[in-house]
Amino acid sequence: MSTGTFQVDFEHLIRLLAENLYSDPHVAIRELIQNASDSCVRRLAQQGVFQPAIHVRIDPTKRLLVVEDNGTGMAREDVVRYLATIGASQTRQVKFSTADQNAAQMLIGQFGIGFLSTFVIGHQVIVDTLAEGSEQAVLWRSQGSADYSLELGTRQQIGTTVTIELEPAFYNLLDETTLRATIIRYADFIQFPVYLGDDARPINRMHAPWHLDASEHEYIDYVKHRYGVVPLAVEPIAIKQQQAECVGILAIMPLQANLAIRPRSLDVFQRRMYVCQDLQLLPDWATFICGIIDAPLLELVASREGFMIERPNYRALREALVEAVRSFLIRLAQREPATFVQVVKQYNSGIKQAAVNDSQFFAAVADLLSFESDIGPITLTRYLERIPVRGADERTIFYVLNDLPASAQQRAIVGARGVPVLHINSIEEKFLKKYCSLRHGVSFQPLTAGIAELIEAENDQQWRKLEQHCEQLGMQVYAVRFEPSHLTALAMRSSDYKREQVVDSLLKGSGSLLSFVQSVGRNRSDDYVLCVNTLNPLIQQLRDGQPNDPTWATVVRALWGYALLSSGVELTPELGEAVQKAQTSLLELALAQR
Ligand SMILES: Nc1ncnc2c1ncn2[C@@H]1O[C@H](COP(=O)(O)OP(=O)(O)OP(=O)(O)O)[C@@H](O)[C@H]1O
């Protein structure tokens, strides 16, 4: 037997790690500021009071990027043991061994690999560092190969200076605007001042609004500062449960801004350092909400560009956020109804979808949301107050879906009863379904089907004769009664029309039946029946007329054609021809009588 040792192509491995671990090369800036911040936290913990500061400088002529801190610095053995050992992290050690809970919570580093990212952007990295108690600074130099050099450093003050000789591909970091934006993106909330170049003022805010116990107004200001748009509403959140913890802010942005800010996006920080934009923590239905949070318990992937989403902490936070979003919306609806109405105006479907998905939210807002209708926007409560109650305390909400054409006659019939028709989309139809399932005696019907509830079968026997005469002409005609009386007739698909059912439904006052006119206006069919309105004087004349008179047959046929056309039925060629014949005969008749 023989044993062996892995051989490592170190340089290749480093490049591989550096280039494949990080999707965004700019994270090197984040890692350097994070290391600087961690070393300041450690120094604060060790030494108590001092003025931590982080400086970022560029030297465009020499193509250098420099990050400097006045934290702990590193002694020679620290450089070897931690900086130059991939996977070793003094920060991690301190985090888990210190009695200073404050410091432990502020330390960010843990994996011991972040420094590798400097080799994504630079071909040579130089670290000049002086530790407390060391007499001489140490200078470490590496080109990302297996070898590095150590020599005497030049630093006089405690702390560390990291200098990166940039690769040409990253010369854009020498542009101050890009660099500034990158630093602010990641390190805006880092609690120590970060200075760019010779600026006297730090470029980071150092604190998020939630660190400052900010007022609602200040939260709004912050969101405006971050996204450049004033939010419609904001809600500070603070979740502290066993597995789920976060502080931050939820916001509803105006619709036009929501196009730029991705729906359901959460900018997630951890220990004040920006990690990523998460699109899964907020509930699926909260498409009109975004937010910014700091979530200390989420487990990071090694590149720090995202979280382990299968871990219990992630799931727990997601659940806690459902509750937070729900409370936000309920509070908004209750305390700021005017703002809520604004939000609903802009995110009508989103809010209704949210209500369909979340029963508690639904219960809180169901009576506040309005729907488009013939008479303008109306809430369901107002709608129900307006419409007639049928037997057994039952009421029906009529609607047309996606403005599918309901016939003029159908609209006139509901209009005559003073029943408005809602114009809804498919999400609103689901909302209505939920609404009706929770309210006793309330049902909903598409107008085409529900119209049957407003038609009464005519039981007077004298009308049966008219029906029989029409049958002899090859037409199925039923005598029914409906308002408005000026409407002469209504076409219905014969397979849908069942006299017993009409009668039945009227007797019981039930809304259960009757999909019978459902397809009028949508389907092709040459098999329609004519429902003539017995309240109409012309129809009454017809009843009393002479069926053997050719004029009588012509008028009935024309009536039938008129009813079909105004029902919106798509005519088959045969039907079209028949309708045209009927109209022509009527015209001939009219002209002949002049
Ligand atoms: N500016 C600095 N001042 C003092 N020590 C530093 C500095 N930069 C790096 N170090 C030391 O080098 C170690 C390794 O740094 P590196 O950035 O690779 O990992 P980390 O910050 O510990 O963890 P992570 O990979 O999670 O960022 C640190 O733990 C720290 O001990």
Side-chain angles (χ1 to χ4, degrees):
M1 188 185 90
S2 63
T3 57
T5 311
F6 278 116
Q7 301 299 305
V8 178
D9 177 347
F10 194 82
E11 188 171 345
H12 188 227
L13 187 66
I14 284 198
R15 291 261 158 237
L16 195 75
L17 267 176
E19 282 163 19
N20 291 290
L21 196 58
Y22 305 104
S23 65
D24 180 350
H26 292 172
V27 296
I29 308 279
R30 179 194 69 195
E31 290 300 326
L32 290 171
I33 293 181
Q34 178 206 299
N35 284 346
S37 166
D38 281 343
S39 76
C40 290
V41 173
R42 285 192 271 130
R43 187 169 175 195
L44 267 179
Q46 280 166 18
Q47 179 184 321
V49 186
F50 86 107
Q51 291 289 320
I54 300 166
H55 288 268
V56 181
R57 299 180 213 283
I58 41 179
D59 182 337
T61 14
K62 293 188 182 151
R63 324 263 199 233
L64 300 180
L65 173 74
V66 181
V67 178
E68 193 177 75
D69 65 75
N70 59 354
T72 53
M74 285 173 278
R76 190 185 173 91
E77 57 275 21
D78 295 331
V79 173
V80 175
R81 208 158 131 203
Y82 299 113
L83 187 75
T85 306
I86 295 171
S89 167
Q90 193 174 20
T91 306
R92 180 178 57 219
Q93 275 186 9
V94 174
K95 187 152 55 180
F96 293 111
S97 62
T98 180
D100 184 341
Q101 279 312 303
N102 222 2
Q105 282 192 0
M106 279 152 58
L107 289 169
I108 309 171
Q110 56 175 308
F111 297 114
I113 57 172
F115 195 74
L116 273 180
S117 60
T118 54
F119 294 108
V120 179
I121 58 171
H123 55 262
Q124 172 156 261
V125 181
I126 301 159
V127 178
D128 190 359
T129 180
L130 177 67
E132 170 95 61
S134 298
E135 276 168 20
Q136 182 67 52
V138 185
L139 196 123
W140 177 90
R141 192 190 298 268
S142 166
Q143 275 118 27
S145 62
D147 309 312
Y148 57 81
S149 67
L150 275 175
E151 54 200 275
L152 292 182
T154 57
R155 257 197 92 109
Q156 298 295 314
Q157 312 288 331
I158 294 171
T160 302
T161 307
V162 180
T163 304
I164 300 175
E165 290 177 13
L166 290 169
E167 283 284 333
F170 301 104
Y171 285 170
N172 65 334
L173 288 173
L174 299 169
D175 169 52
E176 213 181 284
T177 315
T178 310
L179 188 58
R180 186 180 292 269
T182 309
I183 295 170
I184 290 176
R185 175 169 168 224
Y186 287 116
D188 208 18
F189 302 155
I190 286 292
Q191 65 192 313
F192 306 123
V194 180
Y195 300 93
L196 184 56
D198 296 326
D199 281 1
R201 289 179 52 180
I203 61 167
N204 59 331
R205 301 167 74 91
M206 290 189 271
H207 299 289
W210 48 88
H211 297 127
L212 300 170
D213 203 12
S215 65
E216 182 175 335
H217 192 71
E218 287 163 326
Y219 271 101
I220 291 176
D221 270 358
Y222 174 70
V223 173
K224 186 177 158 208
H225 153 85
R226 188 173 181 91
Y227 298 112
V229 186
V230 181
L232 292 173
V234 295
E235 170 97 335
I237 52 167
I239 296 170
K240 197 163 176 61
Q241 299 170 5
Q242 205 184 0
Q243 288 197 307
E245 224 180 286
C246 81
V247 278
I249 183 168
L250 295 176
I252 303 176
M253 304 301 279
L255 188 59
Q256 81 273 16
N258 214 33
L259 297 175
I261 305 161
R262 294 161 81 187
R264 286 175 61 222
S265 69
L266 265 188
D267 283 348
V268 189
F269 288 72
Q270 188 165 72
R271 294 167 198 268
R272 293 170 175 258
M273 185 62 90
Y274 176 74
V275 176
C276 65
Q277 189 174 72
D278 178 285
L279 297 174
Q280 292 170 60
L281 276 168
L282 287 176
D284 297 345
W285 43 262
T287 48
F288 46 93
I289 306 248
C290 64
I292 309 147
I293 59 168
D294 193 309
L297 300 185
L298 293 183
E299 291 169 67
L300 284 161
V301 298
S303 66
R304 287 180 182 285
E305 289 180 341
F307 299 103
M308 311 244 217
I309 60 174
E310 292 309 326
R311 294 294 163 89
N313 287 344
Y314 189 89
R315 273 176 279 160
L317 185 59
R318 197 160 48 192
E319 276 161 33
L321 282 168
V322 172
E323 190 52 48
V325 170
R326 180 191 295 144
S327 318
F328 174 21
L329 294 173
I330 292 176
R331 248 197 302 276
L332 188 67
Q334 288 167 349
R335 291 198 200 145
E336 292 177 54
T339 313
F340 187 70
V341 166
Q342 274 297 317
V343 171
V344 176
K345 261 195 193 146
Q346 300 199 20
Y347 294 103
N348 177 47
S349 290
I351 294 276
K352 284 175 182 152
Q353 178 77 66
V356 167
N357 281 282
D358 187 308
S359 293
Q360 283 187 40
F361 178 52
F362 183 89
V365 299
D367 290 324
L368 296 172
L369 302 177
S370 57
F371 291 75
E372 280 307 316
S373 82
D374 293 342
I375 53 166
I378 189 167
T379 63
L380 296 180
T381 326
R382 289 275 303 117
Y383 184 98
L384 290 173
E385 281 164 13
R386 286 183 66 107
I387 59 170
V389 178
R390 286 181 285 111
D393 202 18
E394 291 184 358
R395 279 169 300 179
T396 304
I397 299 171
F398 290 98
Y399 69 93
V400 286
L401 187 60
N402 298 326
D403 273 331
L404 274 179
S407 77
Q409 293 124 311
Q410 287 164 353
R411 284 184 189 280
I413 291 168
V414 286
R417 295 282 181 117
V419 178
V421 179
L422 300 184
H423 301 241
I424 62 175
N425 59 32
S426 56
I427 291 167
E428 292 174 316
E429 193 181 33
K430 284 187 198 142
F431 186 98
L432 266 189
K433 191 171 173 193
K434 188 161 182 154
Y435 187 89
C436 294
S437 73
L438 295 171
R439 297 239 178 349
H440 174 72
V442 179
S443 57
F444 66 111
Q445 288 272 22
L447 178 58
T448 45
I451 197 85
E453 290 179 13
L454 305 175
I455 296 174
E456 291 174 44
E458 180 59 76
N459 290 324
D460 190 337
Q461 282 311 308
Q462 52 178 332
W463 289 101
R464 298 291 87 81
K465 254 204 224 147
L466 175 111
E467 291 172 354
Q468 281 157 16
H469 290 314
C470 292
E471 201 173 342
Q472 281 159 16
L473 292 174
M475 277 179 287
Q476 257 194 305
V477 172
Y478 295 109
V480 297
R481 225 181 304 144
F482 54 84
E483 290 290 352
S485 59
H486 69 78
L487 279 190
T488 49
L490 185 69
M492 293 183 188
R493 217 163 62 167
S494 61
S495 57
D496 294 330
Y497 181 89
K498 296 199 177 57
R499 181 198 299 273
E500 314 74 49
Q501 286 181 326
V502 174
V503 177
D504 236 31
S505 81
L506 288 162
L507 290 179
K508 290 189 194 141
S510 138
S512 59
L513 120 90
L514 305 175
S515 55
F516 81 67
V517 217
Q518 205 153 16
S519 311
V520 170
R522 287 190 227 166
N523 289 4
R524 280 166 67 93
S525 173
D526 52 1
D527 190 18
Y528 275 78
V529 298
L530 185 67
C531 292
V532 291
N533 186 5
T534 60
L535 299 178
N536 181 273
L538 282 174
I539 300 297
Q540 286 164 5
Q541 270 188 45
L542 214 54
R543 176 197 61 195
D544 302 334
Q546 292 301 320
N548 298 331
D549 179 352
T551 311
W552 193 91
T554 305
V555 169
V556 174
R557 284 205 180 95
L559 199 61
W560 175 67
Y562 148 78
L564 276 177
L565 287 175
S566 50
S567 296
V569 176
E570 190 181 334
L571 300 180
T572 59
E574 300 75 31
L575 199 59
E577 203 176 314
V579 167
Q580 201 188 329
K581 250 193 202 156
Q583 304 291 321
T584 313
S585 311
L586 188 69
L587 288 178
E588 283 169 0
L589 199 68
L591 290 172
Q593 281 177 6
R594 278 176 68 205

